[in-house]
Amino acid sequence: MADFLREQWWLAVAVIASLLPLVLHFARQGFVTTLRTLDRRWIFLLMLWSVLVPIYFIGVTGKTFPEVPSALSTSVFNEIERLKEGDPVLLSFDFDPASAGELMPMATAFVKHASEKKLKMYFLALWPVGPQMIDDTVNKVIRSDFPQIVYGRDYVNLGFKSGAEGVIKVIDTNLREQIA
């Protein structure tokens, strides 16, 4: 970090110089008063620096923050690894485009892992927009990276099923009854 600051001194100067008037305003007016009258452009400037500086740091140094998988992620990965080729997996896409930024990468990784293991995938959605999310993932992962995987033989989209918890209870006892 010290090397980065020594070589990119101008970035630290630019950040400090741009935020100095805000710091002085806080010092003169007090914390609460400044927050009540704060111009939203200061917030945008703070957002700019909080996004730009880490991206620039990664671009210059090539260093990133360590990514350590959680216990739950490791557990799911290990369960998929234990399955044998051809074992069935039910994947429920219960999210919408508003939460796709957070959940789609996990769904994509799960489908890719299941495809690599040559598992039989059964896609299901308990949310009305789930089938579109399934189609997006199938197009992005299966059709582009695994063209040998065939619809109807290796995977199937069971579509949207209304009823939420009721669907899960029926699936637990008799999947064919729910799908028929």
Side-chain angles (χ1 to χ4, degrees), residues 31-44:
F31 187 76
V32 176
T33 306
T34 302
L35 284 182
R36 285 188 186 142
T37 61
L38 188 64
D39 187 347
R40 65 182 175 173
R41 291 176 289 187
W42 286 113
I43 295 170
F44 294 138

Side-chain angles (χ1 to χ4, degrees), residues 42-111:
W42 286 113
I43 295 170
F44 294 138
L45 182 63
L46 288 168
M47 287 174 35
L48 170 79
W49 288 130
S50 65
V51 171
L52 186 67
V53 169
I55 290 172
Y56 185 76
F57 176 80
I58 291 169
V60 169
T61 64
K63 295 179 183 176
T64 61
F65 296 107
E67 295 180 27
V68 180
S70 68
L72 183 59
S73 298
T74 304
S75 175
V76 170
F77 180 86
N78 291 337
E79 276 307 311
I80 296 173
E81 284 297 305
R82 279 192 213 122
L83 296 173
K84 296 174 184 63
E85 182 177 323
D87 282 351
V89 176
L90 178 66
L91 300 112
S92 187
F93 278 57
D94 300 331
F95 58 93
D96 60 6
S99 57
E102 179 181 354
L103 300 175
M104 189 61 94
M106 289 182 279
T108 301
F110 194 96
V111 170

Side-chain angles (χ1 to χ4, degrees), residues 123-131 134 157-164 178:
F123 295 96
L124 175 71
L126 301 178
W127 286 31
V129 295
I134 293 168
N157 183 351
L158 302 173
F160 167 66
K161 303 295 175 200
S162 63
Q178 178 61 40

Side-chain angles (χ1 to χ4, degrees), residues 120-163:
K120 303 284 185 194
M121 293 173 280
Y122 299 89
F123 295 96
L124 175 71
L126 301 178
W127 286 31
V129 295
Q132 293 87 359
M133 307 306 286
I134 293 168
D135 289 340
D136 290 347
T137 303
V138 166
N139 289 332
K140 188 188 314 181
V141 177
I142 295 176
R143 290 195 181 130
S144 65
D145 297 339
F146 301 94
Q148 72 279 9
I149 294 179
V150 179
Y151 183 82
R153 183 188 71 198
D154 301 313
Y155 74 97
V156 66
N157 183 351
L158 302 173
F160 167 66
K161 303 295 175 200
S162 63

